[in-house]
Amino acid sequence: MKYEGPIYRPPSEANSLLIQATIGCPHNRCTFCLVYKNGPEYRVRDVVEIKREIDEAAEDHGFQIQTLFFPSGNTIAMDTRQLAEICRHARKKFPNLERITVYGSSQYIHQKGLKALQYLADSGLSRIHVGLESGDDKILRKIRKGCLSEKQVQAGKWVIESGMELSLYVILGIGGLEGSEAHALATARALNQIEPHFIRLRTFVPKVNTPLLEDVQKGVFKMLGPHGVLRETKTLVANLTCNSYLTSDHYTNYINVEGRLPEDRERVISKIDLALSKDENRFRSFFIGDQ
Ligand code: SF4
């Protein structure tokens, strides 16, 4: 298997076959993201090459492959017919394949529209991981996400309507001290409208080689401490009315909260309250991320 540039995959794809369909990220402007800041430039791999790698993997492990993930950062931006072609090819070659997943930002999902998403779902694409990050437009502009809330909500609804599963990521603390409450409330509003299958929480950690780290170091961006992040999480969860699975299993988080919403909401809030009763120095310390 040939890989080029950084290869990231969601924790839920730990057992998946990874075949790279695209390289880099066509947006590459988010102020918190370091992944492709040093390149490589975005490009789509040759479909013939991708299909050849699918064939090779099928020869070696055809019956064992149950989940397939196509990296890199925004594979949904790939031409719809080409993405559909590699999905159909994989479905043919791996008889026990249950899921094909990609990363995709709302702006590229929105550009595709519902019909193209339905075509992809019919071709075998089954799940998209999307960085919502926040539902607050002021924050989305500041972090240069490339898409505001209205489009994020529409894109998310289309993914669900197409029949695919939607996994949305939220960055706790991305609004800083000043924007914390607005971030929690607007994000809950967006999530309630979309009703994604999964809500995955990550806590903001400044990363090397990013504009947001520079703002943190200059004191322009004031980060939340552990209690601030926990209070923000509590406001977010308390305002969620959607039917979704909430999870936060990630090294950046201060605590792990997990459960089915809305049923488990009170249990999750009690866990946050318990964590809030502990001294702040009991949580992980500040660090600058390098991956
Ligand atoms: S967060 Fe995603 S969309 Fe933004 S630059 Fe990084 S890979 Fe690209």
Side-chain angles (χ1 to χ4, degrees):
M1 219 64 67
K2 222 167 102 188
Y3 298 115
E4 187 181 333
I7 298 292
Y8 279 69
R9 53 122 186 94
S12 52
E13 300 297 325
N15 298 320
S16 300
L17 171 68
L18 307 183
I19 294 185
Q20 193 168 19
T22 56
I23 288 155
C25 166
H27 180 61
N28 205 14
R29 294 189 71 225
C30 300
T31 61
F32 58 88
C33 172
L34 72 82
V35 183
Y36 305 106
K37 290 287 186 285
N38 289 331
E41 289 277 301
Y42 175 74
R43 70 181 173 84
V44 178
R45 286 187 71 207
D46 183 353
V47 168
V48 175
E49 242 178 78
I50 302 168
K51 284 164 81 173
R52 193 183 312 129
E53 288 193 359
I54 292 173
D55 293 345
E56 282 166 13
E59 265 172 44
D60 296 339
H61 319 280
F63 284 91
Q64 286 148 267
I65 305 299
Q66 294 183 320
T67 54
L68 168 64
F69 181 66
F70 287 127
S72 288
N74 245 312
T75 300
I76 199 70
M78 197 174 163
D79 172 79
T80 302
R81 274 165 308 173
Q82 290 189 337
L83 181 52
E85 187 179 336
I86 60 171
C87 288
R88 279 197 306 269
H89 192 71
R91 290 278 172 189
K92 244 190 271 160
K93 295 285 172 170
F94 304 118
N96 296 321
L97 193 59
E98 290 166 7
R99 187 175 76 224
I100 304 179
T101 308
V102 293
Y103 277 132
S105 292
S106 300
Q107 58 170 319
Y108 301 108
I109 294 172
H110 196 274
Q111 279 167 21
K112 289 224 177 305
L114 178 59
K115 260 180 108 174
L117 293 167
Q118 278 166 337
Y119 178 60
L120 288 169
D122 292 345
S123 304
L125 185 63
S126 32
R127 182 182 288 183
I128 311 183
H129 285 265
V130 180
L132 181 89
E133 330 302 10
S134 176
D136 183 270
D137 283 348
K138 201 169 152 196
I139 295 170
L140 290 167
R141 277 195 192 94
K142 269 193 192 160
I143 63 173
R144 295 195 217 133
K145 190 64 208 172
C147 191
L148 299 182
S149 180
E150 196 184 336
K151 274 193 184 171
Q152 285 190 325
V153 169
Q154 183 63 80
K157 285 181 168 181
W158 281 338
V159 171
I160 291 169
E161 200 180 330
S162 76
M164 283 189 263
E165 286 184 317
L166 179 63
S167 176
L168 289 184
Y169 290 78
V170 171
I171 307 182
L172 300 166
I174 196 66
L177 210 52
E178 196 189 305
S180 179
E181 171 122 1
H183 171 47
L185 295 175
T187 303
R189 262 197 309 278
L191 292 169
N192 289 338
Q193 288 177 73
I194 302 170
E195 288 215 285
H197 298 83
F198 305 95
I199 299 170
R200 299 182 195 272
L201 304 181
R202 305 289 182 253
T203 298
F204 169 63
V205 167
K207 306 273 177 77
V208 291
N209 197 23
T210 61
L212 206 40
L213 173 62
E214 281 176 36
D215 285 350
V216 170
Q217 289 171 331
K218 282 189 218 144
V220 178
F221 183 90
K222 297 203 174 14
M223 283 180 64
L224 297 175
H227 279 182
V229 169
L230 290 167
R231 276 193 292 271
E232 183 178 289
T233 314
K234 185 177 172 180
T235 306
L236 171 71
V237 175
N239 283 279
L240 287 175
T241 53
C242 51
N243 273 296
S244 297
Y245 192 81
L246 174 75
T247 177
S248 67
D249 54 333
H250 199 247
Y251 71 99
T252 56
N253 293 321
Y254 291 110
I255 59 167
N256 180 31
V257 291
E258 182 139 17
R260 193 79 256 130
L261 297 174
E263 306 90 290
D264 295 329
R265 188 173 44 220
E266 294 315 311
R267 182 181 56 74
V268 169
I269 289 175
S270 303
K271 187 169 182 186
I272 299 169
D273 280 336
L274 183 67
L276 275 166
S277 69
K278 292 180 187 158
D279 198 89
E280 281 207 304
N281 62 25
R282 300 272 304 274
F283 299 94
R284 71 155 172 79
S285 23
F286 170 86
F287 69 100
I288 294 172
D290 58 5
Q291 54 176 302

